[in-house]
Each structure stands twice: as structure tokens, then as C-alpha cells.
Amino acid sequence: MRPIRPMSAVERFFERLFERPSARLFGTRVQPVQLQRRIERAMEHGRVVDGGRTRVPDRFTVRLRRADLASLDPAAELPVDLASGALEWARRRAYTLAARPRVAILADDTLRPGDIEVEARYSDLGSGPNLDSAHEVSRTRVFAAPIVRAPHATLAVQEPGGRARTIIADGGPLTIGRTPDNALVLVDSRASRRHARLQAREGVLVLTDLDSTNGTRVNGARIREVVVGEGDVVEIGASTITVVAVDDGYPADPPGIEPPGV
């Protein structure tokens, strides 16, 4: 597997010079299109060539200051929209993806106002440029649009006082909170009456904070809305909800997808 030539120091300098966030230059808000362009750039920088195919990352973590995150449209399904944009970008360039892209957006107040950082990675560890090529090819599929079914998730719930249980989320709207009208009721005084919602969108699980009093955290970072997957830990009040396993909504071998070389 051959990585694409990385950007030189000079190229990175001019990238920062001409594409510095407008929020820092003119005091304007960070716009979703800026996040989309950064994800596309991260995808390009992570490209590798293997067996005539160009592979690109499919998992992205976007970090920006809390104030910049708060300025984004609270009604927008931003992580899902950004993931869909990344998928379209890859399709137009005939890039190979191991899975449908997913995007997480986290607050990071160590960044300067207007700064946007994007971390790109491969969901399939065998797809990385530093791993054995033969192993990677044996597991890779060229992504096409299969029929999507709602993903199911196994959730391990731990509440104050040591109460623990396991539930299955079927991909439908799962509201989480303190009152009995929620699908997942938490016996937790720090949880809001209707605290958060977990729901499938376009084949991924999206966690949304419902303007809760104490906020919702995923892996230690406060979020408004984020795509969650296996291993993520959601903190609501003094309770934790661990995503133990996820059926991501796509069949293992969707129709029309063949292993490379077939």
C-alpha cells in the first residue's frame, strides 16, 4: 500500500495563509461549509493507493471552540449532513471507503476562535497505510449505496447507587431522561426530565442533547449532537450509557458490492 505524497511545509503554510477561518479574520461565525471543506481536505490528506485503488478514511472527529459550536444552527442535523457530504465527495472521485462515513463534532476550548481541527481515521484497522496490505484487501469492500436498515445497539446503563442494566435500542427514537414518559428512564436527580435522544439517521446512530440543564457528554466531551458507535461512553448526570455493540444498519455483503480483484 502506497501513501499519497504528504503536503510539504510550504503547501501547509499557504493553506493556512489563504484558508484561515473567516471567523478569526472578520469576526464572522463558523459555517457548516467550512467544516465540510476541512473534512474533504482530511480525506485527501489520508489517501493511500493500494492495488490500483485509492482508499480514504471514513471516520472523522471535528473539534472547534465551544462558542463556535454553539453558533451553529441547533436544528441542523450537522454530523449526518457532513457525513453525507463526505460520502458524495468520495463517490465523485471514485475513492474506496471501508464503510459509510461518520462524523463526530466535539468542543475543544484549547483551540483559538475560528479554528477547526479534523482527525481522520479508518474504521477498519486493516485499511490503514501501516498495516499488512494482504490482510487489508481481504476485508475491504468497494462502497456502494446498499439498502439501509435501522441500526440496533446494545447499551449498558449504569445509574447512581450501582444499578446496572442492558437494553437494546432498535434505531427508533429513544428518549432518555428522568420522567416516566421516556423510553429509557434514569433514576438520577442530575438528569433532566427529557435529557437526550438516540435515533437512527441514514444508517448511523445520532445522540442529541435536548437542551438539558447539566448537558450531555460523550467520551468526556460535552456535545449537542454527535454520531455514536461501539465503545462510546455517554454521560448523563451521574449515569453512564456505554455503547457495547452496534449493528450499523448495513448488511455484511450488500448487493452490488464485490471484494477487490473479483
Side-chain angles (χ1 to χ4, degrees):
M1 184 179 295
R2 178 173 60 84
I4 302 294
R5 181 184 67 85
M7 295 180 68
S8 67
V10 174
E11 288 172 322
R12 287 193 298 269
F13 169 78
F14 281 107
E15 179 186 74
R16 291 193 300 269
L17 180 64
F18 293 112
E19 299 186 27
R20 184 176 301 162
S22 60
R24 200 187 313 154
L25 289 175
F26 307 111
T28 58
R29 300 193 318 174
V30 170
Q31 299 297 322
V33 67
Q34 293 175 274
L35 306 185
Q36 192 72 63
R37 296 296 172 263
R38 294 303 180 92
I39 289 172
E40 292 166 359
R41 190 152 59 236
M43 186 180 288
E44 293 288 340
H45 292 176
R47 289 181 297 163
V48 293
V49 174
D50 177 55
R53 299 181 186 275
T54 301
R55 297 190 52 76
V56 290
D58 54 75
R59 295 293 183 267
F60 304 93
T61 301
V62 179
R63 290 183 170 83
L64 61 163
R65 286 183 67 87
R66 194 177 310 276
D68 290 328
L69 178 59
S71 73
L72 295 168
D73 183 0
E77 299 178 354
L78 191 54
V80 176
D81 291 342
L82 293 173
S84 296
L87 175 59
E88 181 61 27
W89 176 269
R91 282 176 172 168
R92 290 201 306 266
R93 286 154 181 77
Y95 292 158
T96 297
L97 290 163
R100 187 183 185 91
R102 292 185 182 177
V103 176
I105 304 178
L106 303 178
D108 185 346
D109 285 336
T110 65
L111 300 176
R112 293 181 295 178
D115 274 354
I116 303 167
E117 288 190 356
V118 177
E119 175 189 350
R121 62 185 179 85
Y122 291 83
S123 60
D124 181 352
L125 295 180
S127 302
N130 297 323
L131 300 181
D132 180 72
S133 177
H135 172 70
E136 179 268 329
V137 169
S138 70
R139 297 179 59 188
T140 299
R141 295 293 185 271
V142 179
F143 187 83
I147 298 173
V148 180
R149 63 177 184 267
H152 290 65
T154 302
L155 308 176
V157 182
Q158 183 75 46
E159 294 170 89
R163 183 186 179 195
R165 51 189 161 136
T166 299
I167 68 168
I168 303 296
D170 63 5
L174 178 77
T175 56
I176 307 168
R178 200 177 66 246
T179 56
D181 59 334
N182 290 283
L184 174 53
V185 179
L186 296 177
V187 183
D188 186 336
S189 61
R190 293 186 58 201
S192 294
R193 294 171 61 86
R194 289 177 64 85
H195 197 109
R197 181 180 62 244
L198 185 67
Q199 183 175 10
R201 293 187 200 149
E202 299 188 17
V204 297
L205 285 173
V206 180
L207 178 71
T208 305
D209 180 80
L210 300 178
D211 295 323
S212 64
T213 301
N214 294 317
T216 302
R217 294 180 178 273
V218 175
N219 301 329
R222 187 161 179 166
I223 62 93
R224 175 184 295 173
E225 185 170 79
V226 69
V227 174
V228 295
E230 187 172 318
D232 287 332
V233 179
V234 179
E235 299 172 51
I236 292 178
S239 304
T240 61
I241 303 170
T242 302
V243 183
V244 177
V246 176
D247 169 4
D248 65 8
Y250 291 87
D253 290 291
I257 300 180
E258 299 291 343
V262 173

